[in-house]
Amino acid sequence: MSRVVLTVAYDGSAYVGWQCQPNGVSVQQRLEEAITELSGDFHRVHSSGRTDAGVHARGMVCHFDTDSTLPVKAWRDGLNSRLPADIAVQHARVVSADFHARYSASGKLYRYQILAAAVRSPLDRCQSWHIKKTLDLEAMKSAADFFVGEHDFSAFRTTGCAAKTTRRTIVKVDINYQQDLIVVDVEGTGFLKNMVRMMVGTLVDVGLHKRPPEDVAHLLHRPGDVKPALTAPAHGLCLVEVFY
Amino acid sequence: MSRVVLTVAYDGSAYVGWQCQPNGVSVQQRLEEAITELSGDFHRVHSSGRTDAGVHARGMVCHFDTDSTLPVKAWRDGLNSRLPADIAVQHARVVSADFHARYSASGKLYRYQILAAAVRSPLDRCQSWHIKKTLDLEAMKSAADFFVGEHDFSAFRTTGCAAKTTRRTIVKVDINYQQDLIVVDVEGTGFLKNMVRMMVGTLVDVGLHKRPPEDVAHLLHRPGDVKPALTAPAHGLCLVEVFY
């Protein structure tokens, strides 16, 4: 028995999310189908976490146990020839049995893309949130600084979130831009359901001058006093990397 | 009567190309339909040129004449609300009657994207050509330099090309990269049918060491002596800007 770890990239547009769901096709389902087809056996795949419907990934990490003796390059290339064009294994390796894609993870890097432009951009439409107005990037950067550190993120999770504790540590929130495209990189040790998208929703409110940067501090320290922001749409979000 | 000029961006994946064709839906058709719907009258649109099936644009330019007195912002926003998600007017302006989208153009900038990586990338798959091998960028840059200047590009046009003269001037061929993504920017005063894609096909051959950089010089000066390269696939190409 060996434990195989895959790094998987996908365009989430056509999927109900990472995890298998009764209401549609998931990335996990397509991956498990490809593994079954390649190895002749069903293998349950365990991921570093879930991504919501429509969210993309460049570096989702997952593992499975197998009796197969296929070399890692054959796993990578064999799966890629069986996966649809919008999912691809980027890397495969064999690890020891004490590695777990979820429990061994020490952190994650997400990227959220915002297109701040008067008109929509067809070529960027599937991977960025279009905001028709100019955003005040300096105000957004001031607001972003409040997120860094360990805080109670209970104001930044959706109602369906089942996490036992809401304390999380954010390592960095970097905001950069190239012309109209604003790129928000969020790195943290762990995330609640919809947390990045609610953080970005708040930052965009600040960028639009709908709320002051200090609202982030209020949401973190006195969550009941301030209205949480809307959740930014899924298609602007991408799981870039999982750290171990 | 006024002449309206539009700058149009589109994801060419779903279209038979810019120009109206009997065998499928074109970008021009969708645009003319939207103009008809908005203004109540059919207007024939004249573009700076055609793009092939699957080629994208961020800055296609076209014009039409109209008796409508709609302000330019209403043209832009009114058309965008009637166009599908993969086509959008970026800019509209009114010009004098001596302006012509095609005949007034002084040059064009195209961008071709190549993903040189062991495995395919789902999120880049619609806008880059995936090459599984490493490319020698220095050799490609040496080859690219031969293109600059006025030359006979008869080796770099497809058989269906109806242009009367094959002499064209290339202003620059810049090759840059970000990680695995290689970006080739080609600026010229005019282009033959498939010219950029055949230039890129040759550069990739050079990058793969299938032919020396000097083959570009031979193709330009003694076209019969050297086999032309394959045409790079359409989906890696984007018309970035038309100059006037």
Side-chain angles (χ1 to χ4, degrees):
Chain A
M1 178 80 74
S2 61
R3 183 157 287 188
V4 177
V5 176
L6 305 176
T7 304
V8 185
Y10 48 88
D11 176 343
S13 306
Y15 298 98
V16 294
W18 166 267
Q19 198 180 39
C20 292
Q21 305 274 353
N23 61 323
V25 177
S26 65
V27 179
Q28 184 188 2
Q29 179 189 333
R30 283 282 177 263
L31 190 61
E32 290 177 348
E33 286 168 356
I35 293 171
T36 303
E37 203 185 308
L38 178 63
S39 67
D41 271 318
F42 174 77
H43 296 80
R44 170 70 14 161
V45 159
H46 302 273
S47 74
S48 60
R50 304 163 192 177
T51 53
D52 291 330
V55 173
H56 314 294
R58 289 190 182 270
M60 172 61 97
V61 176
C62 60
H63 78 260
F64 59 93
D65 294 326
T66 177
D67 291 324
S68 163
T69 54
L70 275 179
V72 289
K73 196 162 174 293
W75 277 113
R76 186 193 74 184
D77 296 342
L79 291 176
N80 282 342
S81 68
R82 287 161 176 86
L83 285 164
D86 52 8
I87 305 177
V89 175
Q90 301 298 294
H91 187 249
R93 66 186 199 277
V94 171
V95 292
S96 61
D98 60 354
F99 176 92
H100 191 287
R102 182 170 170 201
Y103 302 123
S104 305
S106 60
K108 281 176 194 165
L109 173 64
Y110 280 98
R111 172 165 286 186
Y112 197 99
Q113 297 195 136
I114 302 161
L115 183 79
V119 290
R120 56 192 171 77
S121 169
L123 287 165
D124 303 303
R125 74 190 188 286
C126 300
Q127 293 173 45
S128 62
W129 179 20
H130 179 215
I131 305 271
K132 287 196 177 182
K133 296 189 174 160
T134 308
L135 295 178
D136 180 343
L137 288 187
E138 290 312 310
M140 289 171 73
K141 285 179 184 176
S142 300
D145 288 342
F146 289 112
F147 282 122
V148 178
E150 188 191 328
H151 304 287
D152 176 3
F153 282 87
S154 55
F156 297 92
R157 65 164 173 174
T158 193
T159 43
C161 179
K164 285 175 191 161
T165 163
T166 52
R167 291 197 77 81
R168 292 292 185 275
T169 299
I170 291 296
V171 177
K172 69 169 188 183
V173 183
D174 286 346
I175 302 177
N176 295 293
Y177 68 96
Q178 274 197 322
Q179 294 176 324
D180 296 337
L181 198 69
I182 297 164
V183 177
V184 184
D185 284 331
V186 183
E187 184 185 329
T189 57
F191 292 89
L192 302 165
K193 188 166 165 58
N194 279 12
M195 182 168 143
V196 179
R197 289 163 60 191
M198 292 179 82
M199 290 169 69
V200 170
T202 309
L203 291 176
V204 166
D205 268 3
V206 170
L208 292 168
H209 295 153
K210 285 187 181 175
R211 56 169 84 212
E214 294 73 25
D215 256 25
V216 170
H218 297 154
L219 282 162
L220 292 170
H221 304 127
R222 304 195 313 273
D225 291 7
V226 185
K227 204 180 144 194
L230 294 178
T231 304
H235 69 278
L237 186 61
C238 182
L239 172 58
V240 176
E241 193 173 351
V242 183
F243 303 109
Y244 291 95
Chain B
M1 179 78 75
S2 61
R3 182 159 287 190
V4 177
V5 176
L6 305 176
T7 305
V8 185
Y10 49 87
D11 175 343
S13 307
Y15 297 98
V16 295
W18 165 266
Q19 196 180 41
C20 292
Q21 306 274 354
N23 61 326
V25 178
S26 67
V27 179
Q28 181 187 5
Q29 178 188 333
R30 282 282 176 264
L31 190 61
E32 289 178 348
E33 286 168 356
I35 294 170
T36 303
E37 203 185 309
L38 177 64
S39 68
D41 270 320
F42 174 78
H43 297 81
R44 170 72 11 165
V45 160
H46 302 273
S47 74
S48 59
R50 304 162 192 178
T51 54
D52 291 330
V55 172
H56 314 295
R58 289 190 181 270
M60 171 61 96
V61 175
C62 61
H63 78 260
F64 60 93
D65 294 325
T66 178
D67 290 325
S68 162
T69 55
L70 274 179
V72 286
K73 197 163 173 295
W75 277 113
R76 186 192 74 183
D77 296 343
L79 290 175
N80 283 340
S81 68
R82 287 163 178 82
L83 284 165
D86 52 7
I87 306 175
V89 174
Q90 302 296 296
H91 187 250
R93 64 188 200 274
V94 171
V95 292
S96 61
D98 60 355
F99 176 93
H100 191 288
R102 183 171 170 198
Y103 303 122
S104 306
S106 60
K108 282 176 195 165
L109 173 64
Y110 280 98
R111 171 166 288 188
Y112 198 97
Q113 297 194 136
I114 302 161
L115 183 79
V119 289
R120 55 192 173 76
S121 170
L123 287 164
D124 302 302
R125 74 190 188 284
C126 301
Q127 292 172 48
S128 62
W129 179 20
H130 178 215
I131 304 271
K132 287 196 177 182
K133 297 190 173 159
T134 307
L135 296 178
D136 180 343
L137 289 187
E138 291 312 310
M140 290 172 72
K141 286 178 184 177
S142 300
D145 288 343
F146 289 111
F147 283 122
V148 178
E150 188 190 328
H151 304 286
D152 176 2
F153 281 88
S154 54
F156 297 92
R157 64 163 173 174
T158 194
T159 43
C161 179
K164 285 174 193 163
T165 162
T166 52
R167 291 195 78 81
R168 294 291 185 275
T169 299
I170 292 297
V171 176
K172 69 168 187 185
V173 183
D174 285 347
I175 303 178
N176 295 292
Y177 69 96
Q178 275 197 321
Q179 294 174 327
D180 295 337
L181 198 70
I182 297 163
V183 177
V184 184
D185 285 330
V186 182
E187 186 185 328
T189 56
F191 292 89
L192 301 166
K193 187 164 166 58
N194 280 9
M195 182 168 143
V196 179
R197 290 164 57 189
M198 293 178 80
M199 290 169 69
V200 170
T202 309
L203 292 176
V204 166
D205 268 2
V206 171
L208 291 169
H209 296 154
K210 286 186 181 176
R211 57 168 85 212
E214 293 71 26
D215 256 25
V216 170
H218 298 154
L219 282 162
L220 292 170
H221 303 127
R222 304 197 310 272
D225 291 5
V226 185
K227 203 180 145 199
L230 293 178
T231 305
H235 68 278
L237 185 61
C238 181
L239 172 58
V240 176
E241 194 174 350
V242 183
F243 303 108
Y244 292 95

